[in-house]
């Protein structure tokens, strides 16, 4: 019997069983919850406590958010609507008064910009997205669109402020003149001399000659848009305008400052170090006060220096100092072999920086660069202290209205939501860019 049994029992399966689905408790939402939320007694207790807190918070916040007050015309009418709906607690009516947002959301977006010209800031924002596309998503859009990106800085202020079309064309002509002078001298004499003379030629054109040319052309062909004064700017349009200009200008200026701080030329190095340390040691609000009040003292009598332009300059200088330190950290993180490799290829200083060093340093610095951008955009709310009507400044003006006196959370919550959307979008793009530029994928 034992011999027969030994010959009939196999140690290797000669038939396959049908494949079965995994247990429902180990896959999907249930499996994820068991693995991450209820994997042990301690995690289970924490999960229950947190879920209880979340339920308690949502139970108090959601009724406040979903209050039937969108069509109210005043705070007292909001209270009457809430009382009629039974939304009353021991502390009075409970529920948001969204009537203020329904009535003033356009003002919070555009300030006192003329209503019949809303199409201009909207068009400027749409064109901004088009101009940023070849910069942010270079591999997904036509390469020739970069030419529009180069022209957009001259279109943007003309759309917002209006005036003659010859103004932005004259500004563009200054760039062309400077580039032509630089190209000619760099080929025939020296690149550094060409850069200095090219910048000087552009400045002479902008500050001395262009005014006469623009006035002459305007008298012959008065083509332009209706002029809008800077005092009419406000709301998120003002914040986006200051933020976009400061962000766009601070990055190249920060790169120059970072390279200047590492320069072997003593004068250049100490000028950059002094500028960076001074700006980083002074609060932004102090620079804004200088821009709004003290700067006019040092200007020639009768000079009309636009307040928004002054704020843009100070915000750009402030952001560029922090940007320079972020980029300097990226440069310091590169191994010495990268510099030696660029030298071994026979590249000069600027070629090495453009082709080898700076692309790697900027990739390393992406989180810090985007954090500086986000901080700069949020700091635009400080302009309310010097009298500009950004969203916070407008909220104070709205609350001064007798109909909305006492409104706080609704206005600040709406403003915070819009800032969060923009800052969150920048943060997500930063993460996308880091993933796209990763070179250690397997």
């Amino acid at each position: 019997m034992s011999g027969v049994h030994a010959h009939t029992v196999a140690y290797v399966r000669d038939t396959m069983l049908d494949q079965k689905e995994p247990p429902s408790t180990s896959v999907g939402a249930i499996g994820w919850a068991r693995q991450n939320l209820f994997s042990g007694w301690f995690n289970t207790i924490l999960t229950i406590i947190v879920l209880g807190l979340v339920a308690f918070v949502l139970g108090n916040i959601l009724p406040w958010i979903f209050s039937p007050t969108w069509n109210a015309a005043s705070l007292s009418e909001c209270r009457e609507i809430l009382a009629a709906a039974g939304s009353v607690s021991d502390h009075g009516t409970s529920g948001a008064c969204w009537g203020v947002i329904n009535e003033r959301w356009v003002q919070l977006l555009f300030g006192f910009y003329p209503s019949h010209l809303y199409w201009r800031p909207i068009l400027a924002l749409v064109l901004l997205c088009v101009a940023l596309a070849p910069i942010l998503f270079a591999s997904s859009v036509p390469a020739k669109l970069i030419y529009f990106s180069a022209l957009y800085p001259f279109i943007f202020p003309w759309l917002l402020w209006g005036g003659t079309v010859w103004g932005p064309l004259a500004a563009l002509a200054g760039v062309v003149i400077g580039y032509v002078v630089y190209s000619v001298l760099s080929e025939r004499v020296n690149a550094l001399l060409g850069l200095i003379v090219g910048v000087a030629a552009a400045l002479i054109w902008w500050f001395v000659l262009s005014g006469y040319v623009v006035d002459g052309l305007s008298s012959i062909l008065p083509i332009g848009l209706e002029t809008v004064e800077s005092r009419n700017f406000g709301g998120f349009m003002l914040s986006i305008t200051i933020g976009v200009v400061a962000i766009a200008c601070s990055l190249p200026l920060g790169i120059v400052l970072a390279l200047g701080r590492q320069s072997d030329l003593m004068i250049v190095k100490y000028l950059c170090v002094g500028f960076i340390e001074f700006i980083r040691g002074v609060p932004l609000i102090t620079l804004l006060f200088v821009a709004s009040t003290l700067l006019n003292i040092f200007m020639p009598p009768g000079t009309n220096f636009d307040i928004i332009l002054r704020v843009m300059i100070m915000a750009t200088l402030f952001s560029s100092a922090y940007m320079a330190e972020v980029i300097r950290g990226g440069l310091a993180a590169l191994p010495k072999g990268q510099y030696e490799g660029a030298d071994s290829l026979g590249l000069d200083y600027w070629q090495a920086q453009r082709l080898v060093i700076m692309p790697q340093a900027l990739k390393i610095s992406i989180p810090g660069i985007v954090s500086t951008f986000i901080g700069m955009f949020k700091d635009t709310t400080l302009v309310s202290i010097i009298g500009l009507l950004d969203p916070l400044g407008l909220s104070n003006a709205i609350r001064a209205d007798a109909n909305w006196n006492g409104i706080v959370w609704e206005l600040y919550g709406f403003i915070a939501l819009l800032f969060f959307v923009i800052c969150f979008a920048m943060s997500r793009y930063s993460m996308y860019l880091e993933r796209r530029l990763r070179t250690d994928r397997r």
Side-chain angles (χ1 to χ4, degrees):
M1 292 295 294
S2 59
V4 174
H5 181 71
H7 288 289
T8 57
V9 175
Y11 290 95
V12 179
R13 181 187 299 276
D14 55 2
T15 59
M16 296 299 294
L17 298 177
D18 294 335
Q19 187 175 4
K20 296 183 179 180
E21 295 291 335
S24 59
T25 57
S26 62
V27 295
I30 297 177
W32 180 89
R34 290 189 61 182
Q35 182 179 359
N36 296 278
L37 303 179
F38 304 100
S39 58
W41 66 270
F42 185 70
N43 280 352
T44 301
I45 294 175
L46 286 180
T47 299
I48 294 173
I49 293 174
V50 171
L51 289 177
L53 290 175
V54 171
F56 173 78
V57 172
L58 292 179
N60 287 275
I61 290 181
L62 292 180
W64 183 85
I65 294 176
F66 295 102
S67 62
T69 56
W70 282 100
N71 296 319
S74 65
L75 179 58
S76 59
E77 187 174 342
C78 283
R79 291 170 176 169
E80 293 174 1
I81 293 173
L82 292 172
S87 300
V88 181
S89 64
D90 296 336
H91 304 286
T93 56
S94 64
C97 185
W98 297 120
V100 63
I101 304 299
N102 187 31
E103 180 180 304
R104 299 297 185 98
W105 70 271
V106 175
Q107 187 179 11
L108 287 171
L109 293 180
F110 297 101
F112 297 100
Y113 205 85
S115 58
H116 65 284
L117 299 178
Y118 283 165
W119 65 270
R120 281 163 49 177
I122 294 174
L123 178 61
L125 181 60
V126 173
L127 294 180
L128 173 63
C129 298
V130 176
L132 289 177
I135 300 173
L136 302 181
F137 307 99
S139 60
S140 305
V141 298
K144 292 184 178 180
L145 198 59
I146 193 66
Y147 295 111
F148 177 77
S149 302
L151 294 176
Y152 182 76
F154 306 97
I155 300 173
F156 176 70
W158 180 61
L159 282 175
L160 293 183
W161 277 272
T164 177
V165 72
W166 304 113
L169 290 178
L172 177 61
V175 176
V176 175
I177 291 172
Y179 178 75
V180 170
V181 172
Y182 164 74
S183 300
V184 172
L185 292 180
S186 61
E187 292 179 0
R188 298 183 179 181
V189 184
N190 181 274
L192 180 59
L193 179 63
L195 179 62
I196 295 173
V197 177
V199 172
L203 293 177
I204 292 172
W205 167 260
W206 285 328
F207 292 105
V208 179
L209 302 177
S210 64
Y212 300 105
V213 176
V214 170
D215 292 339
L217 292 174
S218 298
S219 62
I220 298 173
L221 292 174
I223 304 173
L225 297 174
E226 180 181 343
T227 302
V228 179
E229 299 292 335
S230 293
R231 65 173 179 268
N232 294 325
F233 282 54
F236 273 92
M237 185 188 69
L238 177 62
S239 296
I240 292 175
T241 300
I242 297 174
V244 166
V245 172
I247 287 172
C249 297
S250 64
L251 180 59
L253 186 56
I255 293 174
V256 173
L257 289 171
L259 294 177
R261 184 160 189 166
Q262 293 187 331
S263 175
D264 295 331
L265 301 175
M266 184 177 297
I267 296 178
V268 174
K269 178 178 181 180
Y270 285 110
L271 283 177
C272 293
V273 170
F275 174 83
I276 292 171
E277 296 303 330
F278 173 76
I279 295 295
R280 292 175 68 227
V282 177
L284 177 58
I285 187 60
T286 304
L287 299 178
L288 295 179
F289 274 121
V290 170
S292 63
T293 57
L294 298 180
L295 197 60
N296 281 338
I297 299 175
F298 302 99
M299 301 299 294
T303 302
N304 184 17
F305 199 179
D306 189 87
I307 179 63
I308 296 180
L309 179 59
R310 284 180 269 163
V311 169
M312 287 177 181
I313 293 173
M314 288 300 179
T316 300
L317 296 178
F318 182 82
S319 181
S320 64
Y322 285 87
M323 190 67 65
E325 289 300 282
V326 171
I327 295 172
R328 187 171 70 91
L331 292 171
L334 288 180
K336 187 178 179 181
Q338 297 297 321
Y339 295 87
E340 295 173 346
D343 293 337
S344 67
L345 293 174
L347 303 177
D348 61 25
Y349 176 80
W350 294 110
Q351 289 174 333
Q353 291 293 337
R354 181 170 61 90
L355 300 174
V356 179
I357 305 301
M358 194 53 64
Q360 299 182 73
L362 292 178
K363 188 183 79 169
I364 295 172
S365 306
I366 286 174
I369 291 173
V370 176
S371 296
T372 305
F373 286 166
I374 292 174
M376 183 67 256
F377 181 69
K378 292 189 295 184
D379 285 343
T380 57
T381 55
L382 294 175
V383 300
S384 62
I385 300 177
I386 60 173
L388 294 180
L389 295 178
D390 77 312
L392 290 182
L394 282 174
S395 68
N396 294 329
I398 293 172
R399 291 170 59 225
D401 188 342
N403 290 330
W404 306 114
N405 190 6
I407 293 289
V408 178
W409 292 104
E410 293 84 350
L411 286 170
Y412 290 153
F414 179 73
I415 294 170
L417 177 63
L418 292 181
F419 269 101
F420 171 78
V421 169
I422 297 174
C423 294
F424 182 73
M426 285 193 282
S427 176
R428 298 303 298 179
Y429 175 77
S430 169
M431 298 174 64
Y432 156 79
L433 191 60
E434 289 183 60
R435 290 193 301 269
R436 189 165 68 87
L437 297 179
R438 282 183 60 185
T439 56
D440 57 345
R441 296 192 188 98
R442 295 183 179 178

